[in-house]
Amino acid sequence: MMRRAFLVAVLATAFGSPLAAPLAAQRPGLVIQLPAAARVTQDGPLVHARNVLTDARMRELLEAGFPARLRYRVELWSDERFTDELHRTAEWEVLVRWRGTDQRYEVSQRVGERVLSLGTFQHIDDAEAAVERPLRVPLAAPARNRRYYYQASLEVRTLSVSDLDEVNAWLRGELTPAMRGRGNPGTALTRGVRNLTTRLLGGERREYSARSSVFRPPRAD
C-alpha cells in the first residue's frame, strides 16, 4: 500500500510545473518543504534537489556518456526528549543519461521495481529541470501528541563504464547479480578497457542533506 501511494505521488508530481522561484543563483542542495499545518497528518513533505547537475565536472561526465544516479531517502522522526525515534522511510532513485543515438538526455525515476520516464530532453538544463521537480513524499505524520521532523539525504554519483550493465538493468527494473557485484561484467580485455577509461575520466560523487523544522500535528477534535 505504501509503495502504491508513493507511485501515485510520483505520477502526480512528475509532470507538474517546476517551482516558480529561479534557482540558478542558489547553491546545490536538497530542499524539504512541510505541508500546511492543517495537512501534516494527510500529506507528506515536498522534496526536491537544487542545482545538483550544474557542476562543470558533473556535466562533463554526463556529456561524455556517463549516467548520473540520484538516490533519495526521506525519514520521518519524532523529536523525543532523550532519543529520537525513526517512524517511516521512503526511498527512490533518478537516473540521467545521454542517449547518443538520438542526441537527447533521458531522465527516469525508479520507485521499488517500477521505472517511470520523466521525459527526454535536448538540453541538459531541461533535464536538470525535470530532476528538480518537487515530489510529494507520502510520509504523513501520525495524528499523535508528538513533535516530528523530516530528515532527507541525496547521493549524486556519476556511474563508470563498468556500471553500464547496471544502468541497462536499472532501466528494465531488474536486480541482476551483476548489479550486486556478483556477476562477470565481461572478458579480461573488456574489464581492462573499462578500468582504464574509469581511471582516466574518474567518477564524481556528491552528498546532500536537509532537515525540516520540528512540527506538531493538530489535535483531533
Side-chain angles (χ1 to χ4, degrees):
M1 190 68 181
M2 168 68 180
R3 181 171 296 173
R4 181 177 299 175
F6 197 9
L7 289 169
V8 170
V10 171
L11 289 170
T13 57
F15 300 100
S17 59
L19 294 179
L23 300 177
Q26 301 180 15
R27 293 181 179 179
L30 192 60
V31 178
I32 302 179
Q33 181 181 343
L34 292 175
R39 297 285 305 175
V40 294
T41 58
Q42 289 82 38
D43 299 333
L46 281 173
V47 175
H48 71 93
R50 182 181 65 196
N51 291 345
V52 296
L53 299 182
T54 56
D55 180 86
R57 176 62 171 166
M58 191 72 69
R59 291 199 171 193
E60 177 186 2
L61 290 171
L62 275 170
E63 292 170 358
F66 290 82
R69 180 169 60 193
L70 294 79
R71 286 181 168 171
Y72 294 82
R73 179 180 174 89
V74 180
E75 302 170 340
L76 172 64
W77 289 80
S78 60
D79 184 29
E80 306 293 345
R81 182 173 182 180
F82 297 106
T83 303
D84 292 356
E85 180 182 350
L86 175 63
H87 289 267
R88 301 169 65 193
T89 65
E91 297 180 333
W92 70 98
E93 296 182 350
V94 174
L95 185 76
V96 184
R97 66 166 183 160
W98 171 251
R99 296 196 323 203
T101 54
D102 53 4
Q103 299 290 291
R104 297 181 72 84
Y105 291 94
E106 180 182 46
V107 182
S108 305
Q109 189 169 42
R110 184 170 74 180
V111 180
E113 301 303 312
R114 288 281 303 275
V115 177
L116 307 171
S117 173
L118 301 187
T120 58
F121 309 92
Q122 184 176 1
H123 303 291
I124 182 63
D125 290 339
D126 296 328
E128 183 173 34
V131 169
E132 294 183 353
R133 290 170 185 159
L135 174 66
R136 178 74 68 185
V137 184
L139 288 180
R144 299 174 185 168
N145 188 25
R146 285 186 173 182
R147 290 157 50 89
Y148 295 94
Y149 64 89
Y150 294 99
Q151 180 73 42
S153 62
L154 169 62
E155 178 193 78
V156 183
R157 185 168 72 91
T158 52
L159 305 179
S160 67
V161 176
S162 60
D163 295 318
L164 294 183
D165 291 338
E166 177 180 346
V167 170
N168 292 329
W170 195 104
L171 293 171
R172 292 194 303 267
E174 299 174 356
L175 294 176
T176 65
M179 287 182 65
R180 296 187 291 267
R182 297 198 298 269
N184 183 355
T187 64
L189 177 60
T190 302
R191 289 196 301 272
V193 171
R194 286 173 170 174
N195 291 337
L196 175 61
T197 307
T198 301
R199 286 198 301 271
L200 289 174
L201 292 178
E204 292 295 315
R205 184 171 177 268
R206 307 279 191 273
E207 291 185 342
Y208 306 96
S209 63
R211 174 173 166 167
S212 75
S213 58
V214 177
F215 63 95
R216 187 188 297 273
R219 293 184 179 181
D221 295 334

